Amino acid sequence: DSGLYYTKRGQAYVGLKNDKKALEDFTKSTEKSPALSEGWYQLGLYYFNKDEHDKAFVNFTMALERDGMNYDAYMYRAQCCERENKMTSAIYDYTQAISIRPSDPEAYYRRALVERDLKDMVNACKDFRKASSLGHVDATEYISTDCK
């Protein structure tokens, strides 16, 4: 599949710090194989790492339309939402990530931070406790300071 080839080569260019060639290859990947989730995901990651969160969001959405079980795409898209102050959407994406990997503490922790920002301390503390029980060290600190 030529789309996969361009995706892999684009990743190699990222490793070589050749952003121009990486962007060209990720774009070619989505053109050659638009149904392939990985090309869209890598393009989203490229833009995310450039702090172009609006473009990253669009590409993560395209990846998720093709593969709704992409945990990392949900996690990154949620962070894009946070940076754009779309907290309800961030919570939704973290919840989707949790449904995919319920034993991964990071999504619980990040969702708890958003809930804390929204002053929803009941749910924040519930998520901090869950993240802590799964081994997230930072969550434990929030429990001692915010969850009495």
Side-chain angles (χ1 to χ4, degrees):
D1 185 336
S2 62
L4 187 57
Y5 165 79
Y6 285 113
T7 298
K8 296 298 183 191
R9 193 171 78 172
Q11 290 173 297
Y13 282 131
V14 168
L16 295 170
K17 309 282 190 238
N18 189 334
D19 290 346
K20 183 177 183 232
K21 290 283 191 185
L23 179 58
E24 286 174 10
D25 275 3
F26 293 144
T27 302
K28 281 182 190 173
S29 173
T30 62
E31 292 167 355
K32 299 278 185 189
S33 299
L36 182 69
S37 173
E38 187 63 19
W40 296 104
Y41 171 76
Q42 290 298 327
L43 195 52
L45 198 56
Y46 172 87
Y47 285 122
F48 183 87
N49 289 325
K50 298 291 178 195
D51 291 327
E52 295 185 49
H53 300 112
D54 53 339
K55 290 180 182 177
F57 179 90
V58 169
N59 286 284
F60 290 135
T61 299
M62 296 295 281
L64 288 165
E65 287 173 358
R66 287 146 181 80
D67 175 11
M69 296 300 288
N70 188 329
Y71 172 87
D72 293 321
Y74 277 117
M75 292 294 287
Y76 279 111
R77 191 173 78 169
Q79 292 174 65
C80 291
C81 291
E82 283 185 71
R83 287 174 174 89
E84 299 296 319
N85 204 30
K86 297 176 181 172
M87 299 310 195
T88 303
S89 295
I91 288 172
Y92 174 84
D93 280 354
Y94 288 132
T95 302
Q96 294 302 110
I98 288 166
S99 73
I100 295 166
R101 285 192 203 160
S103 61
D104 189 332
E106 190 64 24
Y108 290 101
Y109 175 72
R110 290 186 173 275
R111 185 172 72 178
L113 291 174
V114 174
E115 291 161 340
R116 180 177 176 264
D117 288 346
L118 294 174
K119 310 285 189 246
D120 180 0
M121 294 311 295
V122 171
N123 284 316
C125 290
K126 187 171 109 180
D127 281 344
F128 281 135
R129 286 186 182 97
K130 182 66 175 179
S132 177
S133 75
L134 294 170
H136 202 290
V137 177
D138 293 337
T140 306
E141 294 176 24
Y142 279 103
I143 292 168
S144 64
T145 60
D146 292 6
C147 304
K148 308 277 185 216

